[in-house]
Each structure stands twice: as C-alpha cells, then as structure tokens.
Amino acid sequence: MSDKIILTGDRPTGHLHIGHYVGSLRQRVALQNTGEFKKIFIMIADAQALTDNFADPGKVRRNITEVALDYLGIGLDPEKSVIFIQSQIPELTELTMYYMNLVSLARVERNPTVKAEIQQKNFGEGVPTGFVCYPISQASDITAFKATTVPVGEDQKPMLEQTREIVRKFNDIYAPVLVEPEILLASNEACLRLPGTDGKAKMSKSIGNCIYLSDSADDIKKKIMSMYTDPTHIQVNDPGHVEGNTVFTYLDAFCKPEHFGRYLPDYANLDELKAHYEHGGLGDVKIKKFLNEILQEELEPIRKRREEYAKDIPAVYDMLKKGCEKAEETAAQTLAEVKHAMQIDYFS
Ligand code: ATP
Ligand code: MG
C-alpha cells in the first residue's frame, strides 16, 4: 500500500449524473478497489452547495440523501471509503478562516471556473462572498485530510492550483505541515467535461441538461432520443459531423469494443462508425439507439443497487454519521498541527 490519500466530493445540489460518473465517480470506485490507497475520503459538499443555494437549505438537505444513494449505487464501499458531510466537520471551516489570509482578493476574483459560474448563475443582488471564496474552502477540505490525489473533472483544475498555492505559502510562512495535492483527471478527453444532452459545454445539475444515474430506463431513452447531434445532418445521406456531436462524445466516453458485437455487429469499432457518419448514410436514430443500449447496460446495475439502499434510509444516515466521525478525527489532527505552526495553540 502506498502513502497516497484521496479526497474528492460532490455538491448536494441534485442527483448525480453521467458527467460526474465519467469525470470522477467511475475512477473513484476503480481506485477504491485497487486497495492501493492508504485512505479515501469522499465528501458531500453541503457547505459549498450553500454558497449559492443559501436561500434553499431544503434542497441541499434533500440532496444529501440522493448523493449518498448515488455513491452506494455506483459501488463506493463505506468499509473502504470514508463518506462524510462537509458541514459536520467544523475544523474545515476553521481552516478556511486562516487560509483566507493567504489569498489576495485579486487572486480569488481571477479563478476562471468561478468566473464562468458567476456568469451562469444569476446572482440577483450580487455575488455572495462565500461563493467567490469557495475555492479556499476547497483547499481546506483537501489539505485537512492531507490528500495527495484528487480525482475530479476538468473544471476543478483552478481549484487544485489554488490549493497548491495555499499549501506552498502556508508551509513557507509557518511550517511544513500541509501536503501539495495532485489533480487526477480522466484519461479520456470526452470524460474531462462531459457536455449536456443539449450540447452545452458541461452537463451540470444547475443547468438541468443531465442524464442522472437514478433515471428510469424510459427517461434515459427519451433523453437520448431527443439529444443534440449535428444540425447540418438533415437527411440520412448528408455527411455528418462527429466533432461537437454530443452522441459521439458520449460514445467516446462509454463505448467499449465489446459493445459492437452485442449491439451493432455491422461495425468493428467506433472509428468505423464515425467514418460512416462523416461520409453520410448513417442516421441519428441508429447511433442514438446504440448509445441507449450502452447506457442502459451501464446504468441498470447502478440504479438497482441504489434502489436496494433506498429501502433503508436510516442505515444510510448511520453510515454517514460514522463517516463524519472518522473524517473529523483526521481533520482535527491536521487543524492541531496548523494551529501549532501558526502559534495559536496557547493552552497546549
Ligand atoms: P453544480 O451545478 O451544483 O455545480 P455539478 O454538476 O457541476 O453541480 P459538482 O458537484 O460541482 O457537479 O461536481 C462534482 C464533481 O464532478 C467534480 O469533480 C466535477 O469536476 C465533476 N463534474 C461535474 N460535471 C462534470 C461533467 N460534465 N463532466 C465531467 N466531470 C464533471
Ligand atoms: Mg459544479
């Protein structure tokens, strides 16, 4: 076993979707099952969700359950991965307070992901300070567990950069307490930032262009059949475009060679299918049906397992509570080291 530690998580702002799955969730389960990590922490980021949903706490609360069920459905195992809720670990908030001193106002305002999210969310009366500062709170989440490895989607790159800057500055000014984490991105280009079914840049709970892990077989099919493809591909015989065609992007993310044998034996592989589409003569319905078969096969076992866990919600909360207790032990240890390094441990 290595000394590597994983920290990652999701905001409880909705059910988890296939963008999360290919961007981070699928990899987490694979990493969990290698047994190579010393510790794995999976956080439901409710405090972060409140930075832009502060007026709707009910939504955040409800979605704690949904995200926990999604986790169990995909195969995260509480025996191997500590699953916990951010707000229940006050040490994280305390760290944020100290890290804020290490980041200039200009620096928080420069974060490209935050900038894009500010554009996308219509903050009526102004952008909440807590929202602009959430990357600093993320640095607390990551460093509290001394995470070495953070498996996330591409939109998190600036957050990891911010965290590394804070770590370097802290260690330089005070003492070498914190660990610089590495981002772990999906190796497949399509998975870094899966587009929504509407062809928009990113599938996102807040935009509502998602195929959810908990969607029924019918819903999945409906969403796929009405998906955005190539607006210039009008007649079947017209040459089609594969770049920017969401169906092909999803095929890039999900299709395996064995799927052709099972569902589309006329083609040997995805390259052949793409070539035919580009040449003309291959209709959207056919590629959508193929995608549907693949997604149904992948998502059905997840949905079934999720439904099993949903029969005993108190057991899910018991699991979360135990996870919070374990997480707090580690975070408290780091916070003690941080306070010692900062000379604010007056009574010890
Ligand atoms: P919200 O709209 O509330 O921000 P979200 O859909 O962006 O929700 P998050 O909880 O912010 O989801 O992200 C959780 C994790 O999933 C992060 O690691 C993020 O990088 C990854 N992720 C989110 N959307 C995608 C996507 N479309 N493709 C790949 N990874 C994604
Ligand atoms: Mg997000």
Side-chain angles (χ1 to χ4, degrees), residues 158-178:
M159 313 316 179
L160 265 289
E161 207 31 63
Q162 175 70 87
T163 301
R164 290 162 64 92
E165 284 174 32
I166 290 174
V167 169
R168 288 196 287 265
K169 197 156 179 186
F170 184 99
N171 287 351
D172 191 42
I173 297 174
Y174 303 112
V177 169
L178 304 179

PDB file of all heavy atoms in Angstrom, residues 158-178:
ATOM      1  N   PRO A 158      -8.520  24.810 -11.699  1.00  0.00           N
ATOM      2  CA  PRO A 158      -8.146  26.042 -10.978  1.00  0.00           C
ATOM      3  C   PRO A 158      -8.229  25.890  -9.459  1.00  0.00           C
ATOM      4  O   PRO A 158      -7.504  26.578  -8.731  1.00  0.00           O
ATOM      5  CB  PRO A 158      -9.180  27.072 -11.458  1.00  0.00           C
ATOM      6  CG  PRO A 158      -9.750  26.510 -12.713  1.00  0.00           C
ATOM      7  CD  PRO A 158      -9.671  25.029 -12.604  1.00  0.00           C
ATOM      8  N   MET A 159      -9.119  24.983  -8.993  1.00  0.00           N
ATOM      9  CA  MET A 159      -9.252  24.794  -7.538  1.00  0.00           C
ATOM     10  C   MET A 159      -7.999  24.105  -6.985  1.00  0.00           C
ATOM     11  O   MET A 159      -7.500  24.444  -5.920  1.00  0.00           O
ATOM     12  CB  MET A 159     -10.469  23.928  -7.205  1.00  0.00           C
ATOM     13  CG  MET A 159     -11.733  24.307  -7.921  1.00  0.00           C
ATOM     14  SD  MET A 159     -12.021  26.077  -7.937  1.00  0.00           S
ATOM     15  CE  MET A 159     -13.530  26.152  -8.850  1.00  0.00           C
ATOM     16  N   LEU A 160      -7.518  23.138  -7.762  1.00  0.00           N
ATOM     17  CA  LEU A 160      -6.311  22.428  -7.321  1.00  0.00           C
ATOM     18  C   LEU A 160      -5.107  23.365  -7.348  1.00  0.00           C
ATOM     19  O   LEU A 160      -4.256  23.329  -6.459  1.00  0.00           O
ATOM     20  CB  LEU A 160      -6.077  21.212  -8.220  1.00  0.00           C
ATOM     21  CG  LEU A 160      -6.625  19.881  -7.706  1.00  0.00           C
ATOM     22  CD1 LEU A 160      -5.808  19.392  -6.509  1.00  0.00           C
ATOM     23  CD2 LEU A 160      -8.081  20.005  -7.269  1.00  0.00           C
ATOM     24  N   GLU A 161      -5.056  24.242  -8.357  1.00  0.00           N
ATOM     25  CA  GLU A 161      -3.963  25.203  -8.439  1.00  0.00           C
ATOM     26  C   GLU A 161      -4.005  26.135  -7.228  1.00  0.00           C
ATOM     27  O   GLU A 161      -2.987  26.398  -6.584  1.00  0.00           O
ATOM     28  CB  GLU A 161      -4.077  25.988  -9.758  1.00  0.00           C
ATOM     29  CG  GLU A 161      -2.772  26.512 -10.278  1.00  0.00           C
ATOM     30  CD  GLU A 161      -1.550  25.656  -9.927  1.00  0.00           C
ATOM     31  OE1 GLU A 161      -1.429  24.484 -10.337  1.00  0.00           O
ATOM     32  OE2 GLU A 161      -0.704  26.193  -9.177  1.00  0.00           O
ATOM     33  N   GLN A 162      -5.218  26.587  -6.890  1.00  0.00           N
ATOM     34  CA  GLN A 162      -5.385  27.464  -5.723  1.00  0.00           C
ATOM     35  C   GLN A 162      -4.941  26.747  -4.446  1.00  0.00           C
ATOM     36  O   GLN A 162      -4.261  27.327  -3.592  1.00  0.00           O
ATOM     37  CB  GLN A 162      -6.857  27.892  -5.621  1.00  0.00           C
ATOM     38  CG  GLN A 162      -7.188  28.704  -4.391  1.00  0.00           C
ATOM     39  CD  GLN A 162      -6.587  30.094  -4.415  1.00  0.00           C
ATOM     40  OE1 GLN A 162      -7.162  31.021  -4.947  1.00  0.00           O
ATOM     41  NE2 GLN A 162      -5.394  30.254  -3.846  1.00  0.00           N
ATOM     42  N   THR A 163      -5.319  25.502  -4.319  1.00  0.00           N
ATOM     43  CA  THR A 163      -4.938  24.727  -3.130  1.00  0.00           C
ATOM     44  C   THR A 163      -3.426  24.608  -3.029  1.00  0.00           C
ATOM     45  O   THR A 163      -2.835  24.815  -1.962  1.00  0.00           O
ATOM     46  CB  THR A 163      -5.564  23.317  -3.182  1.00  0.00           C
ATOM     47  OG1 THR A 163      -6.984  23.448  -3.250  1.00  0.00           O
ATOM     48  CG2 THR A 163      -5.192  22.493  -1.966  1.00  0.00           C
ATOM     49  N   ARG A 164      -2.800  24.315  -4.160  1.00  0.00           N
ATOM     50  CA  ARG A 164      -1.340  24.146  -4.129  1.00  0.00           C
ATOM     51  C   ARG A 164      -0.643  25.456  -3.742  1.00  0.00           C
ATOM     52  O   ARG A 164       0.346  25.451  -3.011  1.00  0.00           O
ATOM     53  CB  ARG A 164      -0.851  23.637  -5.488  1.00  0.00           C
ATOM     54  CG  ARG A 164      -1.290  22.183  -5.743  1.00  0.00           C
ATOM     55  CD  ARG A 164      -1.198  21.821  -7.209  1.00  0.00           C
ATOM     56  NE  ARG A 164       0.163  21.870  -7.696  1.00  0.00           N
ATOM     57  CZ  ARG A 164       0.997  20.828  -7.711  1.00  0.00           C
ATOM     58  NH1 ARG A 164       0.592  19.658  -7.278  1.00  0.00           N
ATOM     59  NH2 ARG A 164       2.218  20.958  -8.143  1.00  0.00           N
ATOM     60  N   GLU A 165      -1.181  26.558  -4.212  1.00  0.00           N
ATOM     61  CA  GLU A 165      -0.603  27.860  -3.827  1.00  0.00           C
ATOM     62  C   GLU A 165      -0.725  28.087  -2.319  1.00  0.00           C
ATOM     63  O   GLU A 165       0.210  28.567  -1.679  1.00  0.00           O
ATOM     64  CB  GLU A 165      -1.328  28.996  -4.563  1.00  0.00           C
ATOM     65  CG  GLU A 165      -0.924  29.139  -6.019  1.00  0.00           C
ATOM     66  CD  GLU A 165      -1.773  30.182  -6.745  1.00  0.00           C
ATOM     67  OE1 GLU A 165      -2.206  31.182  -6.107  1.00  0.00           O
ATOM     68  OE2 GLU A 165      -2.013  29.981  -7.935  1.00  0.00           O
ATOM     69  N   ILE A 166      -1.879  27.755  -1.785  1.00  0.00           N
ATOM     70  CA  ILE A 166      -2.093  27.946  -0.336  1.00  0.00           C
ATOM     71  C   ILE A 166      -1.137  27.059   0.451  1.00  0.00           C
ATOM     72  O   ILE A 166      -0.510  27.503   1.426  1.00  0.00           O
ATOM     73  CB  ILE A 166      -3.572  27.660   0.039  1.00  0.00           C
ATOM     74  CG1 ILE A 166      -4.477  28.763  -0.526  1.00  0.00           C
ATOM     75  CG2 ILE A 166      -3.743  27.530   1.556  1.00  0.00           C
ATOM     76  CD1 ILE A 166      -5.976  28.521  -0.359  1.00  0.00           C
ATOM     77  N   VAL A 167      -1.001  25.815   0.015  1.00  0.00           N
ATOM     78  CA  VAL A 167      -0.104  24.882   0.709  1.00  0.00           C
ATOM     79  C   VAL A 167       1.323  25.425   0.723  1.00  0.00           C
ATOM     80  O   VAL A 167       1.987  25.484   1.771  1.00  0.00           O
ATOM     81  CB  VAL A 167      -0.133  23.483   0.037  1.00  0.00           C
ATOM     82  CG1 VAL A 167       0.987  22.593   0.563  1.00  0.00           C
ATOM     83  CG2 VAL A 167      -1.497  22.826   0.250  1.00  0.00           C
ATOM     84  N   ARG A 168       1.780  25.870  -0.459  1.00  0.00           N
ATOM     85  CA  ARG A 168       3.158  26.363  -0.541  1.00  0.00           C
ATOM     86  C   ARG A 168       3.349  27.576   0.360  1.00  0.00           C
ATOM     87  O   ARG A 168       4.342  27.691   1.076  1.00  0.00           O
ATOM     88  CB  ARG A 168       3.516  26.708  -1.990  1.00  0.00           C
ATOM     89  CG  ARG A 168       3.682  25.456  -2.865  1.00  0.00           C
ATOM     90  CD  ARG A 168       4.397  25.796  -4.158  1.00  0.00           C
ATOM     91  NE  ARG A 168       3.550  26.535  -5.086  1.00  0.00           N
ATOM     92  CZ  ARG A 168       2.842  25.960  -6.071  1.00  0.00           C
ATOM     93  NH1 ARG A 168       2.889  24.650  -6.254  1.00  0.00           N
ATOM     94  NH2 ARG A 168       2.096  26.684  -6.872  1.00  0.00           N
ATOM     95  N   LYS A 169       2.385  28.470   0.337  1.00  0.00           N
ATOM     96  CA  LYS A 169       2.509  29.699   1.122  1.00  0.00           C
ATOM     97  C   LYS A 169       2.471  29.384   2.618  1.00  0.00           C
ATOM     98  O   LYS A 169       3.274  29.915   3.391  1.00  0.00           O
ATOM     99  CB  LYS A 169       1.378  30.666   0.741  1.00  0.00           C
ATOM    100  CG  LYS A 169       1.645  32.078   1.176  1.00  0.00           C
ATOM    101  CD  LYS A 169       0.871  33.067   0.310  1.00  0.00           C
ATOM    102  CE  LYS A 169       1.132  34.493   0.783  1.00  0.00           C
ATOM    103  NZ  LYS A 169       0.305  35.470   0.074  1.00  0.00           N
ATOM    104  N   PHE A 170       1.539  28.506   3.001  1.00  0.00           N
ATOM    105  CA  PHE A 170       1.432  28.139   4.415  1.00  0.00           C
ATOM    106  C   PHE A 170       2.741  27.507   4.898  1.00  0.00           C
ATOM    107  O   PHE A 170       3.318  27.914   5.909  1.00  0.00           O
ATOM    108  CB  PHE A 170       0.258  27.166   4.643  1.00  0.00           C
ATOM    109  CG  PHE A 170       0.047  26.829   6.094  1.00  0.00           C
ATOM    110  CD1 PHE A 170      -0.937  27.470   6.838  1.00  0.00           C
ATOM    111  CD2 PHE A 170       0.848  25.883   6.737  1.00  0.00           C
ATOM    112  CE1 PHE A 170      -1.114  27.181   8.186  1.00  0.00           C
ATOM    113  CE2 PHE A 170       0.684  25.587   8.076  1.00  0.00           C
ATOM    114  CZ  PHE A 170      -0.298  26.235   8.810  1.00  0.00           C
ATOM    115  N   ASN A 171       3.190  26.509   4.144  1.00  0.00           N
ATOM    116  CA  ASN A 171       4.393  25.772   4.556  1.00  0.00           C
ATOM    117  C   ASN A 171       5.609  26.688   4.618  1.00  0.00           C
ATOM    118  O   ASN A 171       6.483  26.522   5.460  1.00  0.00           O
ATOM    119  CB  ASN A 171       4.662  24.609   3.591  1.00  0.00           C
ATOM    120  CG  ASN A 171       3.655  23.474   3.783  1.00  0.00           C
ATOM    121  OD1 ASN A 171       2.875  23.481   4.741  1.00  0.00           O
ATOM    122  ND2 ASN A 171       3.670  22.514   2.879  1.00  0.00           N
ATOM    123  N   ASP A 172       5.631  27.669   3.715  1.00  0.00           N
ATOM    124  CA  ASP A 172       6.741  28.599   3.652  1.00  0.00           C
ATOM    125  C   ASP A 172       6.727  29.570   4.842  1.00  0.00           C
ATOM    126  O   ASP A 172       7.740  29.808   5.476  1.00  0.00           O
ATOM    127  CB  ASP A 172       6.612  29.369   2.318  1.00  0.00           C
ATOM    128  CG  ASP A 172       7.844  30.177   2.022  1.00  0.00           C
ATOM    129  OD1 ASP A 172       8.937  29.632   2.242  1.00  0.00           O
ATOM    130  OD2 ASP A 172       7.713  31.345   1.590  1.00  0.00           O
ATOM    131  N   ILE A 173       5.560  30.096   5.166  1.00  0.00           N
ATOM    132  CA  ILE A 173       5.477  31.095   6.242  1.00  0.00           C
ATOM    133  C   ILE A 173       5.550  30.438   7.621  1.00  0.00           C
ATOM    134  O   ILE A 173       6.253  30.925   8.510  1.00  0.00           O
ATOM    135  CB  ILE A 173       4.152  31.893   6.140  1.00  0.00           C
ATOM    136  CG1 ILE A 173       4.108  32.680   4.832  1.00  0.00           C
ATOM    137  CG2 ILE A 173       3.977  32.824   7.341  1.00  0.00           C
ATOM    138  CD1 ILE A 173       2.781  33.377   4.577  1.00  0.00           C
ATOM    139  N   TYR A 174       4.822  29.332   7.804  1.00  0.00           N
ATOM    140  CA  TYR A 174       4.678  28.750   9.159  1.00  0.00           C
ATOM    141  C   TYR A 174       5.578  27.528   9.370  1.00  0.00           C
ATOM    142  O   TYR A 174       6.616  27.631   9.994  1.00  0.00           O
ATOM    143  CB  TYR A 174       3.213  28.424   9.424  1.00  0.00           C
ATOM    144  CG  TYR A 174       2.289  29.616   9.281  1.00  0.00           C
ATOM    145  CD1 TYR A 174       1.361  29.680   8.252  1.00  0.00           C
ATOM    146  CD2 TYR A 174       2.372  30.685  10.171  1.00  0.00           C
ATOM    147  CE1 TYR A 174       0.518  30.774   8.112  1.00  0.00           C
ATOM    148  CE2 TYR A 174       1.526  31.791  10.040  1.00  0.00           C
ATOM    149  CZ  TYR A 174       0.608  31.831   9.015  1.00  0.00           C
ATOM    150  OH  TYR A 174      -0.224  32.911   8.872  1.00  0.00           O
ATOM    151  N   ALA A 175       5.160  26.403   8.832  1.00  0.00           N
ATOM    152  CA  ALA A 175       5.946  25.161   8.986  1.00  0.00           C
ATOM    153  C   ALA A 175       5.410  24.163   7.977  1.00  0.00           C
ATOM    154  O   ALA A 175       4.245  24.264   7.570  1.00  0.00           O
ATOM    155  CB  ALA A 175       5.787  24.621  10.406  1.00  0.00           C
ATOM    156  N   PRO A 176       6.239  23.206   7.570  1.00  0.00           N
ATOM    157  CA  PRO A 176       5.795  22.275   6.510  1.00  0.00           C
ATOM    158  C   PRO A 176       4.783  21.235   7.014  1.00  0.00           C
ATOM    159  O   PRO A 176       5.097  20.077   7.197  1.00  0.00           O
ATOM    160  CB  PRO A 176       7.097  21.611   6.064  1.00  0.00           C
ATOM    161  CG  PRO A 176       8.007  21.732   7.229  1.00  0.00           C
ATOM    162  CD  PRO A 176       7.632  22.976   7.981  1.00  0.00           C
ATOM    163  N   VAL A 177       3.572  21.705   7.215  1.00  0.00           N
ATOM    164  CA  VAL A 177       2.512  20.853   7.762  1.00  0.00           C
ATOM    165  C   VAL A 177       1.646  20.271   6.629  1.00  0.00           C
ATOM    166  O   VAL A 177       1.219  19.121   6.685  1.00  0.00           O
ATOM    167  CB  VAL A 177       1.610  21.697   8.712  1.00  0.00           C
ATOM    168  CG1 VAL A 177       0.345  20.954   9.086  1.00  0.00           C
ATOM    169  CG2 VAL A 177       2.403  22.110   9.955  1.00  0.00           C
ATOM    170  N   LEU A 178       1.412  21.072   5.595  1.00  0.00           N
ATOM    171  CA  LEU A 178       0.411  20.692   4.585  1.00  0.00           C
ATOM    172  C   LEU A 178       1.040  19.952   3.408  1.00  0.00           C
ATOM    173  O   LEU A 178       2.221  20.122   3.102  1.00  0.00           O
ATOM    174  CB  LEU A 178      -0.316  21.946   4.085  1.00  0.00           C
ATOM    175  CG  LEU A 178      -0.984  22.807   5.168  1.00  0.00           C
ATOM    176  CD1 LEU A 178      -1.646  24.037   4.538  1.00  0.00           C
ATOM    177  CD2 LEU A 178      -2.008  22.000   5.971  1.00  0.00           C
TER     178      LEU A 178
END
